[in-house]
Amino acid sequence: MKRQIFSELGGFVIYEPALLARYLDEHGLANGDVLAYFTQTEHGGAVAEEGIAVPILGVRSDYYDFAVTVGEASEEIFAQDEAKIISRGWVFHSSGTLKIAGIGYFKDMSCISEQNSLSFRVKCGRYRLEILGGYRGTNFSGTPAPLGDTPVFHLRLTPSAEPKFSGDLEMSFYF
């Protein structure tokens, strides 16, 4: 299973496709440059607070591995103190799927495909989301990274009936 994608326009969006499509349709935003809607209006903050779409901004241009784990005792991707960045306070609302795409694809979401995005099955429900970033000397298939350390994001989801949003929408995830 592919777990690696490129950071289009210096970032990624973690999102729930069905909930995002419904939000865009309800607000008359379904056609056009969704990235502009989210960066130039209040809609970006609204979808983040509702747990529909979470931005990862300010990353260097590269391919990134992603791991998604669920639960309090979920698998740790990084050894203790190995994560270069930790961002807490995010909310994710799942109706069955967690999808990740380069943020540049939100200029025209019809360009998002299985070749340039990642999809993970996540049980329906609400979650607290922590985003950890760092490097690993091997990718998730266990083979050595071709050019040294592989940049990795670990998305750690913890079920929560009423998670409270406190994520930093201006945070840079550069490491």
Side-chain angles (χ1 to χ4, degrees):
M1 177 206 290
K2 185 172 79 107
R3 295 172 161 241
Q4 192 175 78
I5 56 173
F6 194 77
S7 58
E8 298 295 331
L9 288 183
F12 299 99
V13 178
I14 304 160
Y15 65 103
E16 205 315 324
L19 296 177
L20 181 59
R22 182 173 22 178
Y23 181 94
L24 294 173
D25 187 53
E26 287 173 358
H27 292 87
L29 308 173
N31 297 314
D33 184 346
V34 175
L35 181 59
Y37 297 141
F38 287 171
T39 59
Q40 299 170 11
T41 71
E42 74 285 350
H43 293 290
V47 294
E49 288 182 28
E50 291 179 32
I52 297 170
V54 176
I56 297 179
L57 305 172
V59 301
R60 65 185 170 91
S61 295
D62 204 344
Y63 282 92
Y64 287 76
D65 273 349
F66 278 86
V68 176
T69 57
V70 178
E72 291 286 351
S74 60
E75 170 191 0
E76 292 300 321
I77 301 303
F78 299 109
Q80 189 166 352
D81 299 326
E82 190 179 32
K84 304 291 183 199
I85 230 162
I86 300 174
S87 182
R88 294 182 174 95
W90 299 99
V91 172
F92 186 73
H93 187 175
S94 174
S95 65
T97 302
L98 179 149
K99 195 161 183 86
I100 306 162
I103 200 165
Y105 289 109
F106 274 59
K107 291 176 90 36
D108 179 1
M109 291 185 67
S110 67
C111 294
I112 297 175
S113 69
E114 291 303 313
Q115 287 69 42
N116 59 26
S117 67
L118 301 173
S119 294
F120 296 87
R121 301 291 308 152
V122 176
K123 286 185 181 178
C124 294
R126 296 189 64 76
Y127 297 87
R128 288 190 322 263
L129 169 62
E130 280 184 300
I131 304 169
L132 294 83
Y135 296 98
R136 292 170 45 109
T138 61
N139 60 30
F140 290 120
S141 67
T143 59
L147 300 174
D149 289 340
T150 300
V152 175
F153 280 111
H154 175 192
L155 310 178
R156 190 166 32 195
L157 298 163
T158 305
S160 176
E162 300 218 15
K164 302 291 185 228
F165 176 82
S166 62
D168 181 357
L169 290 168
E170 303 296 321
M171 181 174 183
S172 173
F173 286 85
Y174 187 86
F175 56 87

